Amino acid sequence: MTVYGFDPTRNYTHKLAPNVTFLNWGLGTHKSWSHQEYGDTVGSMYELEDIMKTLGHSNVDVLKLDCEGCEWEAFGKESVNLDAIGQINIEMHFTETLRVDNLLTVKYMAETFRALQRANFVPW
């Protein structure tokens, strides 16, 4: 089993286990973004489909997200395909300081829940 970790706000240089790979990439559609609490990105932002294609993955067993607001942008597009994901663990953020501050983000929030429902994911 290989584990991939991603965080566009830092370069992680600590020694990792042999089966762990860290990339300073972020999940989203913006090339970079700044957040007052978390800092500027040092890496690039990519859509989930692009990350999977780049890494040669046709499926993901478990996708865990705590991306401080990027979850709405990442899954809130009608084109997102979640069929290749076995399980998703998302920490969802509903605060203005984490980019839930405009009608487009509210639309993305609704689309995120629709996409998860279409793919038969259930909240717990």
Side-chain angles (χ1 to χ4, degrees), residues 70-88:
C70 85
E71 64 272 13
W72 308 122
E73 184 180 296
F75 295 114
K77 301 173 301 178
E78 293 183 27
S79 63
V80 70
N81 180 4
L82 300 176
D83 294 335
I85 311 296
Q87 178 179 330
I88 303 175

Side-chain angles (χ1 to χ4, degrees), residues 99-109:
R99 303 189 307 170
V100 180
D101 59 358
N102 60 68
L103 288 177
L104 182 59
T105 302
V106 173
K107 177 183 182 263
Y108 284 162
M109 291 169 75

